[in-house]
């Protein structure tokens, strides 16, 4: 029996796919362009926007006779034991391959924003916490571990990372982002892509593009960003991740920008993404995003028109259903309303990816191999390291922290004794188990209260909840005040409860009007401070909250962004001193609830000045974070002159002058005093995390390339302008330690597509 060319692994993938496409009917080709969400809720209480309205009806047995592009969230829809889930997925794949003429399996995809979204899988810290680590190698290691778990369970594609840059912290999905700076987002996000892809999992960049720039910080709202903001803030993380991480998929965003929905924008999804950036993978729709072209954006009059617009723009796969790319597309192509060439283009990309994944090989086997352990000891250790590195010590003016081992501690607050306080909205317990209240958590998640009692066994630790996270009832205040009055120190654990679409204080669809602490937590904190007992504020949140009301009134402030299943011990370790805090803010902490609904990337008119009574200066700036040790910086950086195509090395010696080991995050910022368009006063262009023993010195060298000063000019070109620049070595965006004045000489230059995106660093030491 002769093997068909498309089955021959010795042939190039392109030749195999060309042969396969030539044999397929129109219906078989369109079947490769959609996914099916088996078991999705249709009662209006789902885990995706407008899920019940947008889920299409289909007959499974009939559907799979033509093949199937993707299987949606076999693990992340309802609680299922992972081993049983893997067997069920394998059975589904066998049915799919047996039903169709060609026996092509589906690509199985899952969410993996903060770990594999499956019951019993490790719940890692959220992306905002990754940003706080300033540690790309550690994030890459985490992503590789997540990818290996996905692969062990039969999953091929992970819907992460999120590369949106925070533009307004009132937006509910801030917890899903890496931060408010495009360079930090790009470098950390690229590390995640590398890790996931190294495990053989298709990484999916999202949300392409502009989603986090929504007007009024509302979820799924219009974006009114200008051309230069879009080019210089929104797009760079995607470009870096594509060039350096080589992800194999991109997800189109829900939003429209200046009236054009991303899902119907060929300039974005084809001209920029493919023709300029050279992307060759698949573009997938965000859930129901193609149908939204008709129902929400109203740029299509029917599902068929929505399918035509999305296919033309460059979306290859409709997720998670076949509302548009199913029967409506099939009928539109048959009627001549949609060119079959568009179907062929998308199907070819899908099948090329399946070929790369081995899904076209004759011997492909869906059965899982080996034991599936999604919360191994190694995973938990990795989650602990990430959590510990992500905790930010914002303030400790009188050295109240670390806590003495035998002190009397009143632990107060609604987040102190709740395991869910550690988790973001895309963790399995928050995302799925909210619909299954009788199902156990599936993983062990120590609370801050439990962890602190274990951390300080000789301390007397009492507890009072004080209030709920968002309920306005203050009836628990008196007990909290009483416990505090009896203690040497109060640890107030406040913050967010992650949820979906208004069912939480942080998460998708949980946007806020201002940056006050949720509910009556602020009033509780006032009462605790009034006791005169030193109050250590611990925040477990998905966004920054305004803390200016308590400036100078708190003994210490500790910020943790949903630090995952090991977050309780990590926070307790910081409080006890076992962990020397090294996290740095990936987002600024505002002074006032409504005074800074923006980020640190402000041009001169966005800064404090005499023209307005509102001062947007943050209380704690981007990049800020304290330690239990001290560091001295020394640099011999001087003024220099380089060409607009030149480079410059800036070096700093960092010495641990304290009595314990610690980590410093050395940051490099660019200040452009005069440019042809307004520029951010400062912006991050490089950083390096350095771990030092007491007395040890490291020499950190930043290799600055003139390309890193490039920006989009009035004509829409990205240019390097001659003139004066200032490089600032800093411990935060406002804590500058050393500067170097650079003069760029020569002509204005337009860097090519291979321009330098990253400021490489080297560390040597002790120096």
């Amino acid at each position: 029996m002769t093997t068909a060319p498309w089955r021959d692994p010795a042939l190039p993938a392109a030749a195999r796919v060309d042969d396969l496409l030539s044999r397929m009917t129109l219906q078989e080709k369109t079947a490769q362009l959609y996914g099916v969400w088996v078991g999705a809720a249709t009662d209006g209480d789902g885990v995706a926007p407008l899920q019940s309205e947008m889920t299409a009806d289909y007959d499974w047995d009939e559907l799979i006779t033509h093949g199937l592009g993707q299987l949606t969230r076999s693990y992340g829809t309802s609680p299922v034991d992972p081993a049983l889930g893997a067997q069920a997925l394998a059975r589904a794949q066998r049915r799919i391959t047996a039903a169709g003429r060609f026996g092509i399996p589906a690509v199985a995809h899952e969410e993996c924003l903060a770990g594999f979204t499956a019951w019993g899988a490790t719940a890692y810290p959220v992306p905002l916490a990754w940003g706080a680590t300033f540690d790309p190698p550690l994030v890459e290691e985490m992503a590789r571990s997540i990818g290996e778990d996905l692969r062990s369970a039969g999953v091929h594609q992970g819907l992460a990372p999120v590369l949106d840059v925070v533009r307004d912290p009132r937006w509910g999905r801030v917890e899903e982002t890496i931060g408010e700076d495009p360079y930090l987002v790009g470098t950390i996000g690229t590390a995640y892509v590398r890790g996931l892809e190294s495990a053989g999992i298709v990484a999916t960049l999202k949300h392409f593009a502009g989603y986090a720039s929504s007007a009024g910080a509302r979820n799924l709202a219009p974006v009114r960003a200008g051309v230069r903001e879009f080019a210089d803030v929104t797009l760079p993380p995607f470009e870096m991740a594509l060039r350096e991480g080589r992800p194999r998929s991109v997800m189109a965003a829900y939003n429209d920008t200046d009236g054009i929905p991303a899902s119907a924008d060929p300039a974005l999804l084809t001209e920029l993404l493919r023709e300029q950036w050279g992307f060759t993978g698949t573009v997938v729709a965000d859930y129901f995003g193609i149908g939204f072209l008709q129902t929400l954006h109203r740029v299509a009059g029917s599902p068929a028109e929505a399918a035509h617009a999305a296919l033309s723009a460059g979306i290859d796969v409709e997720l998670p259903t076949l509302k548009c790319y199913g029967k409506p597309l099939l009928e539109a192509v048959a009627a001549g309303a949609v060119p079959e060439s568009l179907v062929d283009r998308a199907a070819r990309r899908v099948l090329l990816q399946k070929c790369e994944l081995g899904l076209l090989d004759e011997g492909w086997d869906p059965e899982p191999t080996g034991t599936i352990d999604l919360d191994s000891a190694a995973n938990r250790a990795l989650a602990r390291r990430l959590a510990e590195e992500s905790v930010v010590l914002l303030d400790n003016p009188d050295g109240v922290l670390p806590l003495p081992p035998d002190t009397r501690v009143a632990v107060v607050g609604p987040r102190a004794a709740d395991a869910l306080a550690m988790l973001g909205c895309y963790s399995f317990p928050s995302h799925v188990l909210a619909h299954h209240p009788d199902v156990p958590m599936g993983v062990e998640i120590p609370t801050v209260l439990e962890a602190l009692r274990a951390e300080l066994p000789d301390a007397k630790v009492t507890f009072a909840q004080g209030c709920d996270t968002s309920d306005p009832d203050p009836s628990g205040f008196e007990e909290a005040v009483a416990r505090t009055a009896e203690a040497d120190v109060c640890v107030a654990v406040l913050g967010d409860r992650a949820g979906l679409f208004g069912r939480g204080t942080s998460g998708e669809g949980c946007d806020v009007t201002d940056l006050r602490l949720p509910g009556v937590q602020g009033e509780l904190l006032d009462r605790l401070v009034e006791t005169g007992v030193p109050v250590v504020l611990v925040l477990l949140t998905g966004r920054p909250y305004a803390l200016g009301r308590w400036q100078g009134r708190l003994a210490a402030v500790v910020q943790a962004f949903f630090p995952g299943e090991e977050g309780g011990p990590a926070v307790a370790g910081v409080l006890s001193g076992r962990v020397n805090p090294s996290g740095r803010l990936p987002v600024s902490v505002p002074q006032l609830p409504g005074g800074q609904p923006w980020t640190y990337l402000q041009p001169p008119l966005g800064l404090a000045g005499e023209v307005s009574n509102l001062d947007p200066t943050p209380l704690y700036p981007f990049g800020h974070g304290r330690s239990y040790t001290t560091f001295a910086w020394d640099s011999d950086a001087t003024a220099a002159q380089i060409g607009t195509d030149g480079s410059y090395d800036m070096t700093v010696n960092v010495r641990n002058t304290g009595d314990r080991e610690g980590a410093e995050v050395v940051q490099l910022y660019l200040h452009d005093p005069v440019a042809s368009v307004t520029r951010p006063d400062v912006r991050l262009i490089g950083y390096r995390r350095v771990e030092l023993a007491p007395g040890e010195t490291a020499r950190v060298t930043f290799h600055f390339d003139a390309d890193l000063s490039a920006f989009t000019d009035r004509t829409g070109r990205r240019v390097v302008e001659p003139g004066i620049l200032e490089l600032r070595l800093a411990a935060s965006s406002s804590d500058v330690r050393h500067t170097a004045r650079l003069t760029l000489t020569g002509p204005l230059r337009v860097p090519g597509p291979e321009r330098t995106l990253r400021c490489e660093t080297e560390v040597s030491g002790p120096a």
Side-chain angles (χ1 to χ4, degrees):
M1 179 178 173
T2 303
T3 300
W6 69 272
R7 283 287 199 195
D8 187 353
L11 291 177
R16 294 175 66 183
V17 169
D18 286 343
D19 176 67
L20 178 57
L21 277 172
S22 71
R23 301 167 185 264
M24 298 176 81
T25 66
L26 173 63
Q27 193 162 10
E28 287 167 334
K29 288 185 289 190
T30 59
Q32 294 298 315
L33 308 187
Y34 51 70
V36 170
W37 194 349
V38 179
T42 58
D43 59 2
D45 194 28
V47 296
L50 303 177
Q51 180 176 308
S52 59
E53 292 89 339
M54 298 301 298
T55 301
D57 293 325
Y58 59 87
D59 181 283
W60 168 260
D61 292 323
E62 165 63 21
L63 185 74
I64 61 176
T65 61
H66 307 291
L68 183 62
Q70 295 221 4
L71 280 167
T72 294
R73 301 187 64 177
S74 299
Y75 296 88
T77 301
S78 60
V80 58
D81 179 272
L84 298 178
Q87 294 173 14
L89 178 57
R91 285 196 301 271
Q93 292 281 33
R94 284 196 298 272
R95 289 183 63 188
I96 292 166
T97 55
R101 283 200 303 145
F102 300 102
I104 303 170
V107 168
H109 75 255
E110 266 300 345
E111 298 285 359
C112 55
L113 185 77
F116 184 0
T117 306
W119 187 78
T122 303
Y124 290 96
V126 298
L128 200 58
W130 313 346
T133 70
F134 278 72
D135 192 347
L138 182 57
V139 172
E140 182 173 345
E141 186 179 346
M142 174 198 67
R144 185 179 302 111
S145 180
I146 293 171
E148 289 168 352
D149 285 344
L150 288 164
R151 192 171 183 180
S152 74
V155 176
H156 308 102
Q157 181 169 359
L159 302 187
V162 169
L163 297 183
D164 294 299
V165 178
V166 175
R167 301 301 284 161
D168 189 327
R170 297 174 300 174
W171 190 51
R173 302 189 81 167
V174 167
E175 64 174 69
E176 300 179 41
T177 73
I178 293 165
E180 68 183 37
D181 181 88
Y183 187 81
L184 180 66
V185 174
T187 49
I188 296 288
T190 297
Y192 185 93
V193 170
R194 283 174 168 162
L196 206 61
E197 288 281 354
S198 71
I201 296 297
V202 175
T204 309
L205 308 186
K206 60 186 193 181
H207 307 87
F208 193 65
Y211 187 40
S213 300
S214 57
R218 291 182 63 248
N219 188 48
L220 221 165
V223 170
R224 301 188 178 106
V227 172
R228 279 173 291 282
E229 178 181 338
F230 200 76
D232 293 341
V233 176
T234 300
L235 294 179
F238 290 94
E239 184 177 8
M240 180 182 285
L242 285 163
R243 277 181 46 184
E244 299 183 6
R246 301 295 178 186
R248 287 175 284 174
S249 192
V250 170
M251 176 180 282
Y254 283 135
N255 59 277
D256 73 82
T257 300
D258 196 23
I260 301 176
S263 296
D265 188 357
L268 180 70
L269 301 181
T270 296
E271 294 170 23
L272 176 66
L273 181 63
R274 296 190 183 277
E275 296 171 8
Q276 293 183 37
W277 288 353
F279 177 67
T280 59
T282 57
V283 175
V284 301
D286 203 345
Y287 282 14
F288 312 116
I290 297 175
F292 289 166
L293 294 176
Q294 177 194 5
T295 60
L296 297 185
H297 293 293
R298 288 186 276 180
V299 296
S302 67
E305 289 183 10
H308 190 185
L311 265 183
S312 299
I315 294 183
D316 304 309
V317 182
E318 180 179 16
L319 296 182
T321 184
L322 58 158
K323 188 82 170 181
C324 301
Y325 279 12
K327 184 178 178 182
L329 175 60
L330 189 66
E331 292 177 348
V333 174
V338 176
E340 189 170 352
S341 60
L342 291 178
V343 173
D344 291 343
R345 181 179 73 172
R348 189 173 195 277
R349 293 167 181 163
V350 169
L351 292 171
L352 276 170
Q353 194 157 93
K354 288 191 173 186
C355 188
E356 292 169 359
L357 291 167
L359 302 184
L360 301 189
D361 296 350
E362 204 149 18
W364 182 81
D365 186 355
E367 290 297 325
T369 58
T371 302
I372 298 175
D373 182 1
L374 302 184
D375 191 33
S376 65
N379 280 11
R380 294 197 71 98
L382 186 53
R384 173 77 70 92
R385 285 172 55 203
L386 269 154
E388 289 178 349
E389 287 193 12
S390 72
V391 177
V392 185
L393 177 61
L394 294 179
D395 225 341
N396 189 29
D398 300 318
V400 168
L401 295 181
L403 297 174
D406 58 352
T407 191
R408 295 177 300 168
V409 185
V411 178
V412 173
R415 302 287 76 200
D418 187 350
L420 289 176
M422 304 297 158
L423 307 181
C425 82
Y426 268 79
S427 67
F428 189 89
S430 296
H431 201 73
V432 179
L433 288 187
H435 306 286
H436 303 272
D438 297 330
V439 176
M441 195 84 73
V443 290
E444 182 183 350
I445 306 177
T447 66
V448 169
L449 178 63
E450 293 167 339
L452 192 59
R453 281 175 168 158
E455 194 78 38
L456 299 174
D458 295 328
K460 180 183 178 182
V461 179
T462 58
F463 169 68
Q465 179 172 317
C467 65
D468 185 58
T469 306
S470 54
D471 193 296
D473 180 10
S475 59
F477 283 13
E478 297 310 319
E479 182 187 1
V481 168
R483 298 290 81 74
T484 298
E486 299 165 353
D488 298 317
V489 64
C490 171
V491 174
V493 188
L494 311 179
D496 281 316
R497 182 186 70 254
L500 289 165
F501 311 116
R503 297 192 291 271
T505 62
S506 174
E508 186 173 359
C510 296
D511 314 312
V512 295
T513 57
D514 61 39
L515 296 173
R516 291 178 174 85
L517 287 170
V520 292
Q521 293 181 83
E523 288 73 13
L524 173 62
L525 186 56
D526 285 335
R527 292 290 306 276
L528 300 177
V529 170
E530 289 167 2
T531 64
V533 173
V535 176
V536 175
L537 173 61
V538 174
L539 291 167
L540 301 172
T541 68
R543 63 164 63 83
Y545 284 100
L547 300 179
R549 173 169 156 187
W550 301 282
Q551 185 177 9
R553 301 169 62 200
L554 298 170
V557 184
V558 175
Q559 172 71 65
F561 297 108
F562 289 141
E565 64 182 32
E566 288 289 328
V571 169
V574 168
L575 296 175
S576 73
R578 175 180 56 81
V579 175
N580 191 353
S582 61
R584 300 294 185 267
L585 283 175
V587 284
S588 309
V589 172
Q591 176 91 20
L592 302 173
Q596 192 208 7
W598 307 108
T599 73
Y600 92 103
L601 292 174
Q602 294 300 310
L605 288 184
L607 305 176
E610 297 178 358
V611 296
S612 172
N613 63 308
L614 295 179
D615 184 351
T617 305
L619 180 62
Y620 300 109
F622 173 86
H624 169 81
R626 301 194 184 279
S627 171
Y628 292 149
T629 190
T630 54
F631 300 94
W633 297 31
D634 177 58
S635 176
D636 56 4
T638 58
Q641 181 173 295
I642 63 173
T644 52
D645 60 352
S647 61
Y648 172 79
D649 285 355
M650 191 170 186
T651 301
V652 60
N653 295 322
V654 180
R655 181 169 175 260
N656 184 344
T657 55
D659 58 4
R660 61 175 297 172
E661 183 178 354
E664 179 73 299
V665 178
V666 185
Q667 301 160 45
L668 181 65
Y669 292 86
L670 179 69
H671 171 68
D672 192 345
V674 179
S676 58
V677 298
T678 63
R679 303 293 300 131
D681 185 58
V682 294
R683 63 183 176 93
L684 184 72
I685 58 169
Y687 62 88
R688 186 63 179 260
R689 177 187 168 90
V690 183
E691 297 184 2
L692 296 170
E696 187 176 25
T697 300
R699 188 173 182 84
V700 184
T701 301
F702 291 89
H703 300 294
F704 171 79
D705 189 288
D707 284 359
L708 296 171
S709 71
F711 60 87
T712 304
D713 71 3
R714 299 179 185 214
T715 69
R717 299 176 303 169
R718 189 175 299 278
V719 300
V720 177
E721 286 188 345
I724 303 296
L725 296 176
E726 189 175 273
L727 298 181
R728 297 177 175 178
L729 286 166
S732 76
S733 58
S734 65
D735 184 3
V736 178
R737 304 296 176 83
H738 298 280
T739 64
R741 188 177 179 88
L742 290 186
T743 302
L744 269 57
T745 63
L748 179 141
R749 187 169 66 86
V750 178
E754 298 304 313
R755 76 185 190 282
T756 299
L757 300 176
R758 183 187 294 264
C759 186
E760 298 294 345
T761 60
E762 291 181 16
V763 176
S764 58

